[in-house]
């Protein structure tokens, strides 16, 4: 019985010793990684203390003014735009053109039926022959009366009556000749001709129609010498001169337009001044087509031009630029300066808020820097990589 109790105690003690031994054996390998990482972390911190980021630094110089490019919408107008109509009433005999046709100067467009006018002319000619016959009879009678008067067989009253009749006959002949001239004028103008080379924009006359003088027959638009009419503010118009060349965008093409005239009357609705520009290029235009006139307006204000990539957000919606100041060992310290953007294009901005001296600023990648950070000047190769949007 005593032997069993001793044996049991021995195994208990032995189990405890064995458990401690196993625990100590398991804990020893876990300490080795921590001892090995200590020199690695220290080395990394040491290396980072000597590392400085590269920055794309550019020099900006002050400018005393800048130009703003404004775009104004106008329309193309034809220099020759007219409505054709017959001068008198009549019946349309023939129409030779239709809407959209191109016509040359002097081309026949339409004509009247002149049969009735020809008949009227013949009747007037017959009337004139009748008056001429009466005039001949009057001449013979007057000659006889004058011969009898010399012999005392005729009175002065008979002579006066024949003289008055002669004047009446001559007046009737003159009136009928004027009627013939009127008929011939109508016959000659019974044909409607194009006054210039143009395109028929609309036709409102048809064959067999009884035409009235207050009715338009054709609308013609000249295809050459187009102009652009545009309204601009009074301040802009005051800076322009006649003969100045402006850029005109039409059909996604950039053309040159010369100022022909500057209006002197302010439009009552738009409050603008009308400009007339002549297009130098001979292209196909359409009357009433929209055109964009680009005008550069100079603004006298001192400031700086810099890339848009040099701007970063500031507090309360303001803009900042990162200036750099030289320190030891060719290193630079960053400082943030609040500026005001006066004008911006697609890739640059004109700012104010800096002293009017030369400055060095970070031109790109400003989101990677903070004020009081120390950086170094990037090489040209790194600047090219930064300009493509890659990470330095």
């Amino acid at each position: 019985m005593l032997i069993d109790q001793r044996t049991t105690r021995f195994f208990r003690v032995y189990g405890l010793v064995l458990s401690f031994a196993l625990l100590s054996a398991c804990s020893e390998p876990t300490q080795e990684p921590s001892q090995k990482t200590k020199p690695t972390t220290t080395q990394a911190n040491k290396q980072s203390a000597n590392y400085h980021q590269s920055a794309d630094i550019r020099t900006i110089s002050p400018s005393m003014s800048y130009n703003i490019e404004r775009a104004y919408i106008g329309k193309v107008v034809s220099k020759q735009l007219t409505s054709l109509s017959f001068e008198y009433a009549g019946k349309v005999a023939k129409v030779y053109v239709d809407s959209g046709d191109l016509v040359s100067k002097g081309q026949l467009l339409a004509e009247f039926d002149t049969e009735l006018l020809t008949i009227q002319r013949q009747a007037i000619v017959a009337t004139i022959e009748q008056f001429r016959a009466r005039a001949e009879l009057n001449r013979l009678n007057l000659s006889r009366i004058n011969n009898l008067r010399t012999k005392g067989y005729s009175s002065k009253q008979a002579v006066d009556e024949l003289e008055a009749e002669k004047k009446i006959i001559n007046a009737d002949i003159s009136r009928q000749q004027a009627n013939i001239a009127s008929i011939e004028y109508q016959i000659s103008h019974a044909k409607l001709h194009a006054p210039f080379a143009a395109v028929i924009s609309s036709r409102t006359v048809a064959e067999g129609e009884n035409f009235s003088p207050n009715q338009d027959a054709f609308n013609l638009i000249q295809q050459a010498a187009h102009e652009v009419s545009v309204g601009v503010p009074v301040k802009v118009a005051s800076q322009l001169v006649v003969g100045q060349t402006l850029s005109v965008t039409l059909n996604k093409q950039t053309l040159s337009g010369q100022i022909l005239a500057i209006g002197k009357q302010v439009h009552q609705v738009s409050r603008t001044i009308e400009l007339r520009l002549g297009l130098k290029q001979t292209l196909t235009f359409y009357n009433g087509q929209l055109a964009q006139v680009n005008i550069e307006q100079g603004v006298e204000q001192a400031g700086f031009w810099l890339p848009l990539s040099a701007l970063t957000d500031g507090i309360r919606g303001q803009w900042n630029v990162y200036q750099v100041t030289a320190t030891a060992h060719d290193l630079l310290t960053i400082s943030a300066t609040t500026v005001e953007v006066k004008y911006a294009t697609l890739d640059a901005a004109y700012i104010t808020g800096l002293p009017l001296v030369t400055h060095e600023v970070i031109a790109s990648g400003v989101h990677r820097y903070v004020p009081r950070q120390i950086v170094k000047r990037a090489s040209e190769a790194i600047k090219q990589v930064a300009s493509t949007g890659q990470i330095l």
Side-chain angles (χ1 to χ4, degrees):
M1 190 71 178
L2 292 174
I3 296 175
D4 293 337
Q5 292 178 351
R6 292 177 180 177
T7 303
T8 302
R9 291 178 180 175
F10 174 76
F11 282 111
R12 288 180 179 176
V13 172
Y14 180 76
L16 292 173
V17 173
L18 183 61
S19 298
F20 283 118
L22 292 175
L23 291 173
S24 62
C26 293
S27 62
E28 288 178 358
T30 59
Q31 296 177 356
E32 292 180 358
S34 62
Q35 294 176 356
K36 292 181 180 180
T37 57
K38 287 182 180 180
T40 305
T41 304
T42 304
Q43 185 178 4
N45 293 334
K46 193 173 186 180
Q47 292 176 354
S48 62
N50 297 327
Y51 174 76
H52 299 285
Q53 277 187 295
S54 299
D56 179 11
I57 298 173
R58 299 184 190 179
T59 302
I60 58 174
S61 300
S63 177
M64 302 311 296
S65 63
Y66 64 96
N67 293 328
I68 298 178
E69 184 173 329
R70 302 294 190 188
Y72 301 94
I73 301 299
K75 64 179 181 179
V76 177
V77 294
S78 178
K79 191 174 182 179
Q80 293 287 346
L81 174 66
T82 184
S83 297
L84 292 183
S85 177
F86 289 100
E87 296 185 20
Y88 59 91
K91 184 178 181 179
V92 180
K94 190 70 176 177
V95 177
Y96 299 98
V97 295
D98 204 345
S99 299
D101 292 345
L102 293 174
V103 296
S104 57
K105 183 178 180 179
Q107 181 176 340
L108 181 61
L109 306 180
E111 61 179 338
F112 272 168
D113 184 1
T114 60
E115 182 179 1
L116 180 60
L117 293 175
T118 303
I119 295 173
Q120 291 177 354
R121 184 181 184 281
Q122 292 174 354
I124 294 174
V125 169
T127 303
I128 291 176
E129 292 298 326
Q130 179 182 354
F131 284 132
R132 284 177 177 172
R134 290 178 57 184
E136 179 64 20
L137 178 60
N138 175 269
R139 185 185 65 79
L140 293 175
N141 291 334
L142 188 59
S143 177
R144 285 191 293 267
I145 290 297
N146 288 329
N147 290 332
L148 292 174
R149 186 182 178 189
T150 56
K151 298 178 181 180
Y153 297 107
S154 176
S155 64
K156 187 176 181 303
Q157 181 180 357
V159 176
D160 294 340
E161 290 176 354
L162 291 175
E163 289 289 346
E165 182 183 7
K166 177 182 178 181
K167 293 180 180 179
I168 293 174
I169 293 173
N170 291 334
D172 289 337
I173 292 174
S174 298
R175 184 176 67 253
Q176 296 302 325
Q177 288 176 343
N179 291 335
I180 286 182
S182 176
I183 295 296
E184 290 178 348
Y185 178 85
Q186 294 184 38
I187 293 175
S188 64
H189 286 74
K191 295 181 179 181
L192 200 59
H193 298 270
F196 48 81
V199 61
I200 305 296
S201 63
S202 64
R203 175 180 69 90
T204 58
V205 65
E207 294 182 3
E209 177 183 359
N210 290 321
F211 194 84
S212 59
N214 58 352
Q215 179 182 352
D216 292 337
F218 300 98
N219 289 320
L220 275 67
I221 299 177
Q222 191 178 28
Q223 290 299 290
H226 283 83
E227 298 179 357
V228 173
S229 176
V230 61
V232 299
V234 176
K235 184 177 181 180
V236 176
S238 63
Q239 299 178 355
L240 303 175
V241 294
V242 176
Q244 183 177 347
T245 301
L246 301 178
S247 172
V248 179
T249 302
L250 188 63
N251 289 338
K252 298 182 179 180
Q253 297 181 350
T254 301
L255 310 176
S256 296
Q258 186 177 17
I259 298 179
L260 302 177
I262 302 176
K264 300 300 181 182
Q265 178 68 36
V266 178
H267 194 276
Q268 294 182 356
V269 178
S270 63
R271 311 304 300 172
T272 58
I273 300 295
E274 182 184 7
L275 299 182
R276 287 177 46 232
L277 287 82
L279 297 176
K280 298 181 180 180
Q281 292 79 357
T282 56
L283 301 177
T284 301
F285 304 110
Y286 301 94
N287 191 58
Q289 184 178 2
L290 294 181
Q292 177 179 303
V293 180
N294 305 309
I295 302 177
E296 285 191 355
Q297 181 182 358
V299 179
E300 298 293 334
Q301 186 171 26
F304 297 84
W305 281 106
L306 77 168
L308 285 179
S309 57
L311 294 173
T312 183
D313 295 337
I315 60 174
R316 298 179 181 177
Q318 295 178 324
W319 294 101
N320 289 345
V321 294
Y322 284 164
Q323 296 180 259
V324 293
T325 305
T327 60
H329 307 293
D330 294 332
L331 298 178
L332 304 163
T333 302
I334 299 176
S335 60
T337 304
T338 300
V339 296
E340 182 179 357
V341 177
K342 293 296 184 180
Y343 178 68
T345 62
L346 293 177
D347 54 1
Y350 191 83
I351 64 164
T352 60
L354 296 177
L356 297 180
V357 295
T358 302
H359 299 276
E360 285 190 330
V361 298
I362 298 178
S364 61
V366 291
H367 61 280
R368 297 193 297 268
Y369 309 101
V370 294
R372 294 190 296 276
Q373 180 181 353
I374 297 177
V375 295
K376 61 182 179 180
R377 195 181 301 272
S379 62
E380 293 298 327
I382 295 178
K383 289 182 180 180
Q384 294 178 1
V385 173
S387 64
T388 60
Q390 301 180 8
I391 299 177
L392 291 174

